[in-house]
Amino acid sequence: MASLPNIKVNKERLWQSLMDMARIGATAKGGSCRLALSDEDKAGRDLFVQWCKDAGCTVEIDRLGNIFARRPGRDPKMDPVVTGSHLDTQPTGGKFDGVYGVLAGLEVIRTLNDHGYETDAPVEVTVWTNEEGSRFAPSMIASGVFAGAYGEDYAHAIKDVQGKTMGEELKRIGYLGDRPCGGQKFRAFFEAHIEQGPILEAQKRTIGVVTGAQGLRWFDVTITGQEAHAGSTPMPRRRDALVGATKVIDRINAIALANAPYGVSTVGVMRVLPASRNTIPGSVYFSVDMRHPDDAALTRMHAALKASLATVCGELGLSHELTEVAYTKPVVFDPECVSTVRAAAKDCGFDGLDIISGAGHDACYINRVAPTGMIFVPCADGISHNEIESATPEDLAAGCDVLLRAMLGRAVL
Ligand code: HGY
Ligand code: MN
Ligand code: MN
């Protein structure tokens, strides 16, 4: 392999691109709200596409709205070395989750351009649609379709709470592309991301060498009782769906604690009907997010959820419906890509810390169809999915230098 150039990314330009992007969907508390396929997501995508074209890339959009910006290499027949992440955010998200991985990829291309450096393989930066799964569930759906985990029609038919489908919204914002979603080969895929947890910061390490990601199960739960008068219905006669839901939710929390130290569970969405102060709730919907790095433990957590629902609803005369929305097994990233990241970190002067991702990422699906690795950098107090999410220009540039090096390691023969 030719010796790699000792070139560094432009820290100020990377930071400025992050701050420029953060102006789109900016929230009052300094975060970002660019829900998937919203007008804000469209504006962010348009800005990114323009930046890529300004950097001399060709841009393709696929049937799920995934964006592929390509910088040509010496040999157009070689499969591309690809990086990227997502631009969609949580409703009260931060400036760095996802968008860092996208703009770090752009900074790699801009840096190669600065030095007129030609790679052998093409280099691509991708934006994966609807990684967050906040507006349209499940999460990572478009990288999932790309990896063959879901069908295109299934994804296009997913509805948000207003009943709008992904397909309609892709068309509305002009990102329903012609390119088939999936089937294209990558020589390797690397995703740079903030850790979204406390480990790197606590261990005072700048680079995380991500060896894998924990497994995830998402469920929808509906508990049904009977609507009745809040004043004239004696307590023993009630079938209060909200009392049932709160008991189950307390057990969901206990299930994670019983699978410590890694088990986690979260109820993030709840809808109570008829939502009237003086009517006993007859129906309650809530979401469940359960995760664990060990698949057997995740299965046990699922079984405990089913048992909790049966016990509580049986005691209170309620009925329930449990629907699985997503199940992704724990992921082990490609050992060669993990070594490439570790070596790139070392070349950049960092002793990378091996780490398993608590969060899901598009890389988790891409790992099914291409050799895949991830690079983490710290975020303040490990906080993410929060408007106060923050990271330093130095750490972000360090992660981008490691990304550049890792990509060159696969794009230069
Ligand atoms: O839920 C996740 O882990 C990711 O942030 N979508
Ligand atoms: Mn993310
Ligand atoms: Mn996220």
Side-chain angles (χ1 to χ4, degrees), residues 86 90 97 131-132 196 385:
H86 59 95
Q90 289 286 325
D97 174 4
E131 187 279 344
E132 292 293 1
Q196 300 180 292
H385 286 194

Side-chain angles (χ1 to χ4, degrees), residues 87-160:
L87 287 176
D88 68 302
T89 72
Q90 289 286 325
T92 51
K95 299 188 185 77
F96 305 98
D97 174 4
V99 59
Y100 167 57
V102 172
L103 298 183
L106 175 61
E107 179 53 32
V108 163
I109 286 183
R110 285 171 165 171
T111 302
L112 293 173
N113 289 347
D114 290 346
H115 295 271
Y117 187 82
E118 196 181 19
T119 55
D120 292 300
V123 164
E124 280 190 3
V125 190
T126 61
V127 172
W128 300 104
T129 299
N130 189 51
E131 187 279 344
E132 292 293 1
S134 177
R135 180 182 178 195
F136 301 101
S139 55
M140 289 94 80
I141 189 71
S143 50
V145 172
F146 186 89
Y150 303 104
E152 178 185 306
D153 294 346
Y154 164 79
H156 279 170
I158 295 172
K159 290 185 177 164
D160 68 5

Side-chain angles (χ1 to χ4, degrees), residues 288-313:
V288 182
D289 175 324
M290 286 185 154
R291 308 198 195 194
H292 199 290
D294 172 61
D295 201 34
L298 194 53
T299 302
R300 285 197 301 274
M301 292 170 73
H302 180 198
L305 168 62
K306 285 192 280 191
S308 301
L309 278 163
T311 307
V312 170
C313 291

Side-chain angles (χ1 to χ4, degrees), residues 59-343:
V59 176
E60 287 190 355
I61 314 291
D62 76 10
R63 296 275 303 154
L64 265 287
N66 297 317
I67 301 169
F68 300 83
R70 171 177 280 216
R71 180 181 193 263
R74 240 177 243 108
D75 181 352
K77 289 191 298 310
M78 281 181 74
D79 295 331
V81 175
V82 185
T83 186
S85 190
H86 59 95
L87 287 176
D88 68 302
T89 72
Q90 289 286 325
T92 51
K95 299 188 185 77
F96 305 98
D97 174 4
V99 59
Y100 167 57
V102 172
L103 298 183
L106 175 61
E107 179 53 32
V108 163
I109 286 183
R110 285 171 165 171
T111 302
L112 293 173
N113 289 347
D114 290 346
H115 295 271
Y117 187 82
E118 196 181 19
T119 55
D120 292 300
V123 164
E124 280 190 3
V125 190
T126 61
V127 172
W128 300 104
T129 299
N130 189 51
E131 187 279 344
E132 292 293 1
S134 177
R135 180 182 178 195
F136 301 101
S139 55
M140 289 94 80
I141 189 71
S143 50
V145 172
F146 186 89
Y150 303 104
E152 178 185 306
D153 294 346
Y154 164 79
H156 279 170
I158 295 172
K159 290 185 177 164
D160 68 5
V161 284
Q162 271 94 32
K164 291 180 184 159
T165 67
M166 275 194 72
E168 288 159 357
E169 287 294 275
L170 277 166
K171 204 164 175 190
R172 183 183 69 82
I173 68 167
Y175 277 89
L176 179 59
D178 299 325
R179 172 175 157 148
C181 180
Q184 299 85 7
K185 289 213 170 314
F186 294 169
R187 192 171 165 79
F189 179 76
F190 294 101
E191 180 171 0
H193 208 288
I194 53 170
E195 179 203 335
Q196 300 180 292
I199 298 168
L200 287 176
E201 187 182 59
Q203 300 211 19
K204 297 192 181 12
R205 306 286 274 274
T206 305
I207 299 295
V209 179
V210 190
T211 56
Q214 63 180 346
L216 163 149
R217 282 181 182 266
W218 275 14
F219 303 96
D220 284 338
V221 178
T222 301
I223 292 183
T224 307
Q226 185 182 47
E227 292 164 14
H229 197 293
S232 53
T233 309
M235 294 307 279
R237 294 176 64 91
R238 294 177 176 215
R239 289 194 291 122
D240 186 329
L242 186 52
V243 168
T246 46
K247 287 176 180 290
V248 171
I249 290 166
D250 186 50
R251 289 180 179 226
I252 288 171
N253 193 59
I255 289 166
L257 297 173
N259 286 275
Y262 301 113
V264 289
S265 60
T266 311
V267 174
V269 183
M270 189 176 212
R271 286 190 282 274
V272 181
L273 291 176
S276 166
R277 188 182 305 272
N278 49 0
T279 297
I280 297 166
S283 170
V284 173
Y285 160 84
F286 59 85
S287 65
V288 182
D289 175 324
M290 286 185 154
R291 308 198 195 194
H292 199 290
D294 172 61
D295 201 34
L298 194 53
T299 302
R300 285 197 301 274
M301 292 170 73
H302 180 198
L305 168 62
K306 285 192 280 191
S308 301
L309 278 163
T311 307
V312 170
C313 291
E315 283 165 2
L316 298 176
L318 304 169
S319 62
H320 71 273
E321 207 182 320
L322 173 69
T323 314
E324 183 156 84
V325 175
Y327 168 37
T328 48
K329 287 180 180 294
V331 167
V332 177
F333 286 126
D334 174 77
E336 244 190 84
C337 282
V338 172
S339 315
T340 300
V341 169
R342 192 176 293 115

